[in-house]
Amino acid sequence: MAVFMEEKIEAIYRQVMAKNPGEGEFHQAVKEVLESLGPVLVKYPEFADKKIIERICEPERQIIFRVPWQDDKGEAHINRGFRVEFNSAIGPYKGGLRFHPSVHLGIIKFLGFEQLFKNALTGMPIGGGKGGSDFDPKGKSDNEVMRFCQSFMTELYRHLGEHTDVPAGDIGVGARELGFLFGQYKRITNRYESGVLTGKGIGWGGSLVRKEATGYGAVFFVREMLKVRKDSLEGKTCVVSGSGNVAIYTMEKLHQLGARVVACSDSNGVIVHDKGIDIGLVKRLKEVERRRIADYASHHKDARYVAGGNIWDVPCQVAMPSATQNEINGKDARALLKNGCIAVGEGANMPTTPEGVKLFLEAGVAFGPGKAVNAGGVATSALEMQQNASRDSWTHEFTERKLDEIMTRIHANTCETAEEFGATGNYVVGANVASFIKVAQAMVALGLI
Ligand code: NDP
Ligand code: 2IT
């Protein structure tokens, strides 16, 4: 029976690859989830009868559109916009927008696929979607970014709505971009529909703690993984890749819990500061001045900048990849293990290659996959939607306590599910199985749609 199910799943995977050519990241994300599902189909044969896996791998709707805009010199540019509305079985489509030159349909589909499972894990009523553009905000003026965002929303607005599809930020989309996007949505629709976007500014419908939530939540998850092993973050040496939204607040919470972060990075290089990264300085350089991490070294003579360096060569006990997909390969995983790494918490989406994941699991380190570890961001987005719906605003303490409870619950759920399905300690299986069952049960209940 089990072997038959594995073969059935293998056939579905081959079909997904054939139907979605050239989308390597999407194939990778699908494969990782499908590999966990054999025992699920044995326990719930109706999921196979009703072709839930085949349906879950096919987005409900995919939107691709032209985004024309003018730069400050009056020259015209054309970018491509995407929104993939993956699954709305348990709530409106929810997920961020990524603006980065590497964006193409396959990237948005992998992110949307991950998102639908992540959102199910949060326990909140949110479906999965993702969007973005190959626009590069780096080096653009505020006015150029505004014109781009206005043009992007001029098409996207017709697909959105607080009960339909609710975007937020991701790489290259932060408070500035969300402001311009919300402004254009409000202007076109003539509605102050706060719940249509999350990650908004505090003065115009945003939630306290949303900015910090992904990073803080990721650290709460790692804290829980270490607790199971009768260990803690106190005194641990940590490395956090990236220096954007997720990385900054990961570093801040690690510091608050008594750990020492010795390195962070951007796509140009790595900063190593054995005394501990000066998080206030990173915030100022990246959030306010929009500078490169290289500039950190001119403020601290005892810090080292390695242009083009590999952050995973910096020895640490806890690694938190928080930049982008496939940033830890097999070689990096081996370097981390050799240097004594005992825990890996994925703040980014799919930052570890399949070979890297295999090595971490075989070595028995505490490995937390992105769809569980970084779910605090979207969970707090759902808390923002709750506040918008009730026209309320909660305190920082209250909201952070809720986030902590959600992350602690996700950890317990993934841990228990792994155990129930014969994979004790394997959070990859726990996260894939727990979230799949939740979405699949809703899809069965809603009929063949
Ligand atoms: P930001 O744009 O704020 O920061 C991204 C950081 O990662 C920057 O330091 C950037 O460096 C680096 N980076 C991005 N792309 C690459 C690349 N191709 N190679 C090397 N470094 C790169 O994004 P976020 O912090 O919001 O997102 C980081 C990760 O976390 C992404 O995987 C995202 O999907 C995930 N995530 C984000 C959530 C959120 O709420 N924001 C929620 C859950 C997950 P540089 O400036 O040089 O490009
Ligand atoms: O990957 C993610 O979970 C996000 N970028 C956040 C999504 C959201 O809707 O808050």
Side-chain angles (χ1 to χ4, degrees):
M1 179 75 155
V3 174
F4 172 67
M5 285 307 183
E6 307 282 345
E7 277 169 11
K8 227 178 148 106
I9 292 173
E10 177 67 36
I12 299 172
Y13 176 62
R14 278 200 303 271
Q15 208 174 359
V16 169
M17 285 206 295
K19 273 183 97 169
N20 301 275
E23 298 178 356
E25 290 85 359
F26 179 50
H27 303 168
Q28 183 183 335
V30 168
K31 185 161 196 263
E32 193 232 79
V33 171
L34 264 50
E35 277 173 352
S36 303
L37 299 183
V40 179
L41 293 194
V42 174
K43 186 164 177 194
Y44 299 91
E46 76 266 29
F47 294 167
D49 297 343
K50 299 198 185 298
K51 296 220 159 76
I52 296 295
I53 303 184
E54 291 90 326
R55 280 156 64 192
I56 236 171
C57 291
E58 184 68 23
E60 290 176 15
R61 191 177 294 110
Q62 305 183 55
I63 302 147
I64 304 182
F65 51 101
R66 178 168 69 203
V67 190
W69 59 280
Q70 266 187 328
D71 68 20
D72 290 341
K73 294 193 228 81
E75 193 185 327
H77 297 268
I78 314 296
N79 283 98
R80 186 171 284 182
F82 301 92
R83 186 73 182 166
V84 175
E85 298 181 332
F86 231 104
N87 195 297
S88 59
I90 64 172
Y93 309 109
K94 180 85 197 86
L97 297 171
R98 175 177 294 190
F99 292 169
H100 193 274
S102 63
V103 164
H104 62 89
L105 183 60
I107 294 276
I108 300 299
K109 273 162 74 176
F110 118 65
L111 289 164
F113 188 76
E114 287 288 289
Q115 195 82 45
L116 86 92
F117 297 108
K118 178 194 314 193
N119 293 4
L121 285 178
T122 65
M124 321 288 283
I126 41 178
K130 200 85 185 191
S133 174
D134 56 1
F135 174 74
D136 186 359
K138 267 197 214 98
K140 306 288 190 300
S141 71
D142 286 351
N143 278 327
E144 288 171 331
V145 170
M146 180 177 75
R147 287 194 291 275
F148 174 82
C149 289
Q150 290 176 340
S151 180
F152 185 86
M153 186 53 90
T154 300
E155 170 57 34
L156 190 64
Y157 88 94
R158 69 189 83 247
H159 306 288
L160 306 183
E162 62 177 316
H163 302 296
T164 308
D165 186 352
V166 183
D170 193 83
I171 290 176
V173 178
R176 174 182 61 170
E177 290 74 18
L178 287 165
F180 297 145
L181 290 164
F182 184 68
Q184 185 74 350
Y185 182 86
K186 184 177 83 62
R187 185 178 190 196
I188 296 175
T189 60
N190 193 31
R191 281 162 66 87
Y192 206 107
E193 189 185 336
S194 303
V196 74
L197 284 178
T198 60
K200 298 180 296 295
I202 301 305
W204 43 280
S207 170
L208 288 168
V209 190
R210 174 60 189 91
K211 183 173 70 174
E212 295 84 353
T214 310
Y216 280 18
V219 177
F220 293 149
F221 194 97
V222 171
R223 179 197 68 198
E224 292 302 302
M225 290 200 297
L226 291 176
K227 209 184 271 174
V228 169
R229 295 167 177 239
K230 313 242 174 306
D231 203 347
S232 79
L233 280 163
E234 179 87 43
K236 293 285 184 299
T237 303
C238 307
V239 158
V240 178
S241 65
S243 48
N245 174 267
V246 178
I248 287 174
Y249 294 97
T250 295
M251 294 195 278
E252 184 165 280
K253 187 51 74 180
L254 284 169
H255 176 73
Q256 287 172 10
L257 297 188
R260 184 165 50 102
V261 182
V262 295
C264 66
S265 62
D266 62 18
S267 55
N268 295 125
V270 179
I271 281 288
V272 184
H273 199 176
D274 292 328
K275 211 168 74 184
I277 293 286
D278 174 350
I279 298 154
L281 175 60
V282 179
K283 274 190 197 175
R284 176 156 66 82
L285 290 174
K286 304 297 277 205
E287 288 185 338
V288 183
E289 297 170 9
R290 297 184 186 277
R291 306 258 290 270
R292 309 301 297 157
I293 203 67
D295 296 333
Y296 183 103
S298 58
H299 293 79
H300 285 285
K301 295 296 162 226
D302 52 349
R304 204 155 37 90
Y305 177 66
V306 190
N310 184 354
I311 193 163
W312 310 120
D313 290 336
V314 179
C316 66
Q317 294 161 291
V318 176
M320 299 199 60
S322 308
T324 193
Q325 62 276 358
N326 292 329
E327 53 169 313
I328 299 184
N329 60 25
K331 185 174 125 305
D332 301 327
R334 278 188 208 94
L336 282 163
L337 291 168
K338 184 168 143 282
N339 286 331
C341 179
I342 58 159
V344 179
E346 294 189 327
N349 285 307
M350 208 171 73
T352 314
T353 63
E355 189 193 0
V357 174
K358 190 162 170 278
L359 288 164
F360 288 139
L361 292 176
E362 280 169 5
V365 301
F367 177 77
K371 61 172 78 66
V373 173
N374 70 42
V378 75
T380 308
S381 280
L383 300 179
E384 182 172 330
M385 290 163 76
Q386 273 187 29
Q387 293 168 78
N388 293 149
S390 58
R391 300 184 185 283
D392 199 356
S393 43
W394 305 339
T395 64
H396 187 103
E397 292 67 27
F398 179 78
T399 317
E400 187 176 341
R401 199 163 57 243
K402 279 204 166 263
L403 169 64
D404 196 342
E405 283 165 12
I406 291 167
M407 296 312 299
T408 304
R409 206 164 52 227
I410 295 174
H411 174 272
N413 183 15
T414 48
C415 208
E416 286 157 16
T417 305
E419 203 166 310
E420 187 191 331
F421 281 80
T424 302
N426 186 332
Y427 292 93
V428 176
V429 168
N432 290 340
V433 170
S435 55
F436 178 83
I437 291 174
K438 170 148 193 202
V439 177
Q441 284 175 332
M443 288 173 74
V444 169
L446 300 189
L448 183 59
I449 53 170

